[in-house]
Amino acid sequence: MNKFTKFPPSVFVDKERNRILLAEAGKDFIDVLLSFLTLPLGTIARLIAKETNMQPVSVGSLSSLYKSVLDLDEEYLWTHTCKEMLLQPRNSMEAYCQSLKLNIDDTEPIQYFICEDLNCCMRLSGSCLSSFRNKKCYCGKLLNKVTSPENLTTENGFVKETTKFIISDDLNVMPNIFGATVLLFQKLGVHDFDAIENQTVEISKNEAYLLKLSLLSKTPLTDFILKKKQFLDHCNPRNESLFVFGELPSDEGRQMVVKVLTRKSNGKILLAEAEEDLVNFLFNFLTFPLGGVLNMLQGVSYLRCIDNFYKSVTELSSERYLRSQGLKDKLAKPQCAPQFGLSNQLLPIGVASLPFDLMPCIRYVPLKFVDPKFSMGECSSSRGFARGPSTYMVTDDLVVTPMSSISGISYLSRSRVRLVDLEERIISISMEEGLSILKASLTSTSALTNGLNQFTRTIKEEK
């Protein structure tokens, strides 16, 4: 793989202020930006933690949630594959990203596996098919023989071949219309064309640098292209009054009840004592595609430039710029990959369907997908990732560990909280509370406090 590839984009630089005014780009670069919306949050947490031209960074509480899965003993998960699914979640739109000139997602492309016993694969009653290696077949042997369905296709990105766009420094994307360019120059305080310099950019093919800046910088193009010192906006905890939503779908009957331990003096949530249902709910965040999260949050995540980008993409004409209306709908509301969802999911996130057109037969033998959350041959999808019944400790920044009195007391001691300052509260988590935690997790290292404080109530001790 070459270290550099020329897309280009071409950029207009304000020479006096040494900043990018806008970039002019075609399909190759825009497709790269659009691919960010398809990335699961777990993939983003993994990529931004890597050393690139810029130090490893974290986003809100997602990075600590991801690391806690990495550190969790596998005995607390149903299968080894559960850990793989959370640390390397699949992209439900990977077919659109595989041919990109810059595909920063290092997740292994999906493969399909059948039983190593060819006689088993020929049973007229049917055989197993898995998208994860070394799951067990009905017969007890391993599904590790690769099969390649003939009708798998790779898509040609997202936008039409001949389209051109302009991109502002804060990631607003607009059709390349000259009038819009002039208006943008004027809006940015440029008075003379002599103050503008045009440059062509080389972009590294082996880094997630632009993704990091898109999440954390107010001026990602300037920081990315001019290699300026990054003054990254590591998001501070937001006031909980900001975590409000418009009209939400009905979620009647779906809720979890959780005990939390708070400081009486300031209301900060120190930890939650949770069963596996809350842990599965939080772990599932890592499988959510970024665009699907933005859709659930109605375009307001407080990741400033990402919000700008998402809004501008939803306003592009599918007839003129995107390859189809159906593809635009997928980008605006990408789903979790097949088999990565929860059957009792509180949040309005979709799960892509299994490719049933692959399933009818191999040599006329019916095939059934096995559930990767089960150890042997089951086809149900009702199970989560965390093994139960178990109790877990979830800290304010979403670090998940098995609960024990020793670990709980040790954590409170490290937090330097006085025993008399502790208060137990109870919350019922339904869709609104769940969305509030999700939003807080993107921008705050106090995801539980900022996501839940407005919903807590004191537990009254029974006399």
Side-chain angles (χ1 to χ4, degrees):
M1 180 181 291
N2 294 329
K3 184 178 180 182
F4 291 98
T5 184
K6 291 184 179 180
F7 285 176
S10 178
V11 298
F12 292 93
V13 181
D14 183 336
K15 293 187 289 185
E16 181 179 343
R17 301 175 188 175
N18 192 30
R19 60 173 178 164
I20 298 296
L21 297 167
L22 61 85
E24 181 181 80
K27 174 179 174 62
D28 290 335
F29 187 65
I30 293 297
D31 275 350
V32 170
L33 292 180
L34 289 171
S35 74
F36 292 174
L37 297 178
T38 74
L39 294 176
L41 297 184
T43 299
I44 292 173
R46 183 178 75 249
L47 293 174
I48 65 174
K50 293 183 177 181
E51 192 80 41
T52 60
N53 288 10
M54 172 182 160
Q55 74 274 16
V57 298
S58 59
V59 171
S61 299
L62 285 176
S63 296
S64 49
L65 175 64
Y66 183 89
K67 188 175 186 306
S68 70
V69 175
L70 184 65
D71 295 339
L72 186 66
D73 194 304
E74 286 186 15
E75 71 176 281
Y76 292 100
L77 301 168
W78 283 112
T79 64
H80 168 77
T81 308
C82 288
K83 195 163 193 173
E84 178 185 346
M85 294 171 77
L86 295 170
L87 297 179
Q88 300 183 65
R90 296 251 171 87
N91 183 339
S92 64
M93 298 183 70
E94 73 168 33
Y96 294 90
C97 302
Q98 289 175 336
S99 62
L100 302 184
K101 286 194 175 180
L102 173 59
N103 182 11
I104 65 172
D105 187 356
D106 58 2
T107 307
E108 287 293 323
I110 192 169
Q111 290 183 296
Y112 296 95
F113 303 94
I114 56 176
C115 187
E116 61 187 2
D117 184 345
L118 292 180
N119 291 325
C120 179
C121 294
M122 297 299 292
R123 290 188 309 171
L124 295 179
S125 59
S127 188
C128 295
L129 179 68
S130 174
S131 57
F132 293 89
R133 187 185 292 274
N134 290 335
K135 301 306 296 179
K136 285 190 177 179
C137 183
Y138 296 136
C139 68
K141 295 184 178 179
L142 296 179
L143 300 170
N144 61 8
K145 181 177 175 59
V146 177
T147 183
S148 299
E150 296 179 358
N151 52 349
L152 283 181
T153 58
T154 299
E155 303 288 347
N156 184 24
F158 305 101
V159 300
K160 295 180 179 178
E161 293 282 355
T162 56
T163 51
K164 297 287 184 181
F165 301 88
I166 55 175
I167 310 141
S168 66
D169 198 10
D170 60 356
L171 297 189
N172 274 295
V173 176
M174 297 158 275
N176 190 10
I177 300 170
F178 182 68
T181 302
V182 171
L183 287 173
L184 185 56
F185 286 156
Q186 293 173 339
K187 180 180 177 181
L188 294 171
V190 177
H191 303 294
D192 195 323
F193 284 110
D194 290 339
I196 302 170
E197 180 181 48
N198 179 244
Q199 298 179 8
T200 299
V201 181
E202 289 184 328
I203 294 180
S204 173
K205 210 173 186 183
N206 58 0
E207 61 170 347
Y209 186 33
L210 179 55
L211 174 63
K212 293 181 180 182
L213 292 169
S214 300
L215 292 165
L216 298 173
S217 173
K218 296 178 181 178
T219 55
L221 290 188
T222 292
D223 293 339
F224 177 64
I225 293 169
L226 300 183
K227 304 296 190 290
K228 293 183 72 173
K229 181 179 179 181
Q230 291 85 37
F231 298 96
L232 295 179
D233 181 23
H234 291 285
C235 301
N236 293 319
R238 299 278 178 176
N239 185 291
E240 70 247 17
S241 64
L242 293 177
F243 293 100
V244 295
F245 304 92
E247 185 176 349
L248 297 173
S250 172
D251 63 342
E252 184 178 352
R254 292 185 294 169
Q255 65 176 20
M256 297 175 287
V257 177
V258 178
K259 292 180 181 180
V260 297
L261 202 61
T262 69
R263 285 183 190 262
K264 288 190 286 188
S265 57
N266 60 12
K268 178 179 172 64
I269 295 177
L270 296 164
L271 60 88
E273 184 177 339
E275 295 181 354
E276 63 274 8
D277 56 351
L278 178 66
V279 172
N280 281 319
F281 170 75
L282 295 174
F283 282 175
N284 208 203
F285 286 3
L286 299 175
T287 74
F288 292 173
L290 178 59
V293 171
L294 292 166
N295 176 263
M296 287 191 287
L297 300 180
Q298 301 166 356
V300 183
S301 68
Y302 297 122
L303 297 169
R304 293 175 179 85
C305 293
I306 292 294
D307 288 349
N308 293 339
F309 179 64
Y310 179 78
K311 182 176 184 294
S312 63
V313 169
T314 61
E315 293 172 349
L316 289 176
S317 166
S318 60
E319 183 177 349
R320 288 191 60 80
Y321 303 110
L322 289 144
R323 291 180 53 215
S324 69
Q325 179 61 47
L327 179 53
K328 180 179 178 179
D329 293 342
K330 285 184 178 181
L331 274 173
K333 193 177 180 179
Q335 299 178 317
C336 297
Q339 298 185 303
F340 280 72
L342 298 178
S343 61
N344 58 347
Q345 177 58 257
L346 292 177
L347 304 184
I349 183 80
V351 180
S353 299
L354 287 165
F356 286 103
D357 53 333
L358 305 181
M359 293 177 60
C361 64
I362 291 179
R363 296 185 181 180
Y364 306 104
V365 176
L367 297 171
K368 294 181 180 180
F369 273 101
V370 299
D371 188 334
K373 303 185 193 79
F374 284 82
S375 59
M376 185 171 177
E378 290 91 340
C379 299
S380 168
S381 296
S382 59
R383 182 179 278 179
F385 303 97
R387 185 188 291 272
S390 297
T391 305
Y392 299 84
M393 180 174 75
V394 182
T395 61
D396 200 11
D397 58 350
L398 303 188
V399 173
V400 178
T401 54
M403 174 59 85
S404 75
S405 296
I406 294 174
S407 62
I409 291 171
S410 176
Y411 175 75
L412 293 175
S413 177
R414 293 195 305 272
S415 301
R416 298 188 177 182
V417 60
R418 298 180 64 200
L419 195 59
V420 295
D421 197 22
L422 293 177
E423 180 177 61
E424 190 176 60
R425 298 183 181 181
I426 191 166
I427 52 169
S428 294
I429 299 178
S430 56
M431 184 187 301
E432 186 175 5
E433 293 86 353
L435 287 171
S436 191
I437 297 171
L438 175 61
K439 177 178 277 192
S441 75
L442 299 172
T443 59
S444 171
T445 54
S446 296
L448 293 184
T449 295
N450 288 319
L452 292 176
N453 249 2
Q454 58 188 316
F455 303 107
T456 56
R457 62 181 175 83
T458 304
I459 298 178
K460 295 182 179 180
E461 293 187 6
E462 293 184 4
K463 301 283 188 171

